[in-house]
Every structure is written in structure tokens, then in C-alpha cells.
Amino acid sequence: RETRFKRPSNRAVAWTGAIVGALVLAIALFLILFDWNYLRGPIGRYASARTGREIVLAGDLQVHAFSLKPSASVQGIRVGNPKWAGPGQTADIKKLDVQVKLLPLLVGQVVLLNLQLDQARVDLLRDRQGRATWDFSNGRKTNKPFEMPPIRRFVINDGHLRIDAQKRRLVLN
């Protein structure tokens, strides 16, 4: 026995197309008009929980999502020291600009087209036990080491880097 499906009427197709089109338009308008600054707190709290240190996005957050090369700009990022390192900041960045390739990102690969830091102050410490302030694993043991994504263009404007390797009794400015 052959099953036949009834072809939908032109009216039903038109209504379905109108609803889908309105939904796509509503989502696009929401993303265009959305104030990304509402996400500064949640992003900072998520990053703080994952890294075991305070991370604050203090300034303006701008996102340009509608592109094959989406970008974001953050004013005022502070990355605190882990608890064992005492009070202070691992990094204080006045402005961070980042741009990624969209298509690789959709399959889980990060390709940074541009990474720019303005007026960045970074203080790195490796103590006598070998703990390092640049280790953001929060004590999690992983079999897979961190792999730095490829960066096509990396710029630091007016930056300062201090490295204190206590075990080697070496300080670099």
C-alpha cells in the first residue's frame, strides 16, 4: 500500500515562511541592538570560576558579531593573582581587541586574526615550588596540555612585562 502525502497549501507555506522570517529578523535585531555590557559580569564570574582567580571586565564591551571575522573590544580587564601568590594583579590591560575567523570557530577551532593589547601591565611569578601565575588550570589535572591558538597579528602597545622566577632568582623587566 502506497502512502500519499497531501501537498501543503500555498497559504500554509506563506504563513510558515512569514513566521520563520519574522523570527530570524527578531533575532538579528536583538543581536544588533543588544547592549553587550550586560554580559561583562557573567563573563567575569565564569572566567573567575574557571581559573580560580578574580577576573574583572571593568570597561566597555563592544562586539561585532555579524561578520566572517567577528571581533570584540574590551576596555579595562584585570586578572588577579591566584590565592597562593598573594594580593595583586597578574594582568591589568587598559584595552584588548580580538578578532577571530568564524568558520573554524564553528567546528571548535580558534584562529585569532588579531590580538591587540593596549597599555598592558603583566606581572608573572613562578615561586620556589614551581607554581606559576600564568597557569590558569585552577589545579585541574589534564592529560592534554594547553595549546595556544594560532595568532596572525599580535600587537602590544605601551606594555610592561615583569617576570619573577624565584627558584632561579631571576627577575626580568
Side-chain angles (χ1 to χ4, degrees), residues 57-127:
L57 284 67
D60 195 32
L61 173 61
Q62 297 177 340
V63 176
H64 304 284
F66 289 108
S67 171
L68 289 176
K69 301 172 186 175
S71 63
S73 177
V74 185
Q75 304 274 340
I77 298 176
R78 291 190 310 270
V79 179
N81 281 336
K83 289 179 182 154
W84 60 263
Q89 305 291 323
T90 296
D92 189 356
I93 304 166
K94 185 166 184 171
K95 184 179 179 191
L96 172 86
D97 292 318
V98 64
Q99 184 178 37
V100 298
K101 268 183 132 174
L102 180 63
L103 296 178
L105 191 61
L106 295 176
V107 294
Q109 297 173 340
V110 178
V111 176
L112 297 174
L113 296 174
N114 182 46
L115 181 61
Q116 181 172 327
L117 294 87
D118 293 333
Q119 296 180 8
R121 179 178 173 84
V122 179
D123 292 312
L124 302 177
L125 168 69
R126 181 181 296 271
D127 69 1

Side-chain angles (χ1 to χ4, degrees), residues 125-146:
L125 168 69
R126 181 181 296 271
D127 69 1
R128 294 189 190 286
Q129 289 81 27
R131 297 177 295 187
T133 57
W134 61 87
D135 177 7
F136 290 94
S137 67
N138 195 16
R140 292 184 305 272
K141 299 289 183 199
T142 61
N143 293 338
K144 190 171 115 178
F146 174 74

